[in-house]
Amino acid sequence: MRLLFVCLGNICRSPAAETVLRELLDREGLSSSSTVDSAGTTGYHIGEEPDPRMRQELAQRGYKQWSRARLVEAKDFYDFDIILAMDQQNMRELRRLCPKPELLSKLRLACSFCSRHHDSEVPDPYYGSKSDFAYVVTLVEDISEGIIQNLKQKTLLT
Ligand code: 4NP
């Protein structure tokens, strides 16, 4: 299973989701059968590490590795099985970028995998406070656990 998380800048929400899901897959012994990546719909932060506030929140919870920002591209629709948008704005950008109508079915809102939260979107924390960053990590933990459950039950994409 190849999963791609997408947000606006690829320095807050989607790299956090990538980091958390990778760690949980590792703990479950599922990392060799999955690929996890993240990307942004804008290129302002290409090559950067996640925002320092997000790195601090991740490190506090024991997540110590993260990737650098990149731009999402049409090719990703062929390279990944499922593309998870953090909010509706990201979803609209992804629909626009999608190279073939039949590949639109790869798109999902990340929050559709939440079981403990009722949010429909992962809120953008960039102009927010420390607690907004903490909430993003809490949500992506819920999302990642939901994805793991789906992978174990082999219901993802069915
Ligand atoms: P992200 O957050 O989409 O979760 O990475 C943002 C990062 C940067 C900006 C906005 C949101 N920005 O305006 O630069």
Side-chain angles (χ1 to χ4, degrees):
M1 181 58 63
R2 300 164 300 171
L3 303 103
L4 179 69
F5 291 103
V6 175
C7 62
L8 184 71
N10 194 209
I11 54 165
C12 300
R13 294 165 291 173
S14 62
E18 177 190 342
T19 288
V20 169
L21 180 58
R22 280 210 176 144
E23 173 66 29
L24 298 194
L25 286 167
D26 214 28
R27 283 186 210 161
E28 296 284 338
L30 293 169
S31 47
S32 61
S33 53
S34 338
T35 299
V36 186
D37 197 4
S38 67
T41 60
T42 58
Y44 306 129
H45 299 282
I46 289 173
E48 292 178 20
E49 286 196 292
D51 186 285
R53 297 164 293 177
M54 182 52 82
R55 278 187 271 152
Q56 187 187 18
E57 186 59 40
L58 289 168
Q60 264 174 16
R61 299 196 197 196
Y63 305 107
K64 298 271 158 61
Q65 285 186 332
W66 34 75
S67 60
R68 287 181 182 267
R70 75 165 175 91
L71 191 60
V72 68
E73 35 184 351
K75 179 176 174 289
D76 289 318
F77 280 86
Y78 297 99
D79 291 347
F80 291 89
D81 300 306
I82 180 161
I83 301 178
L84 298 145
M86 292 293 161
D87 64 27
Q88 291 287 2
Q89 185 193 346
N90 311 146
M91 186 62 103
R92 281 193 295 277
E93 291 298 327
L94 286 165
R95 285 205 185 102
R96 236 200 307 265
L97 185 68
C98 183
K100 269 188 177 181
E102 57 265 40
L103 299 174
L104 284 169
S105 61
K106 295 192 173 190
L107 291 173
R108 298 267 181 95
L109 275 174
C111 279
S112 65
F113 288 97
C114 278
S115 62
R116 296 190 305 276
H117 296 83
H118 297 291
D119 305 62
S120 57
E121 302 179 303
V122 181
D124 182 349
Y126 193 67
Y127 295 104
S129 62
K130 186 172 165 51
S131 66
D132 297 311
F133 280 83
Y135 190 63
V136 167
V137 181
T138 297
L139 267 185
V140 302
E141 286 179 331
D142 193 2
I143 290 163
S144 298
E145 284 164 21
I147 291 171
I148 301 260
Q149 285 310 315
N150 272 271
L151 286 174
K152 281 183 174 171
Q153 294 157 6
K154 301 203 188 307
T155 52
L156 203 62
L157 289 181
T158 59

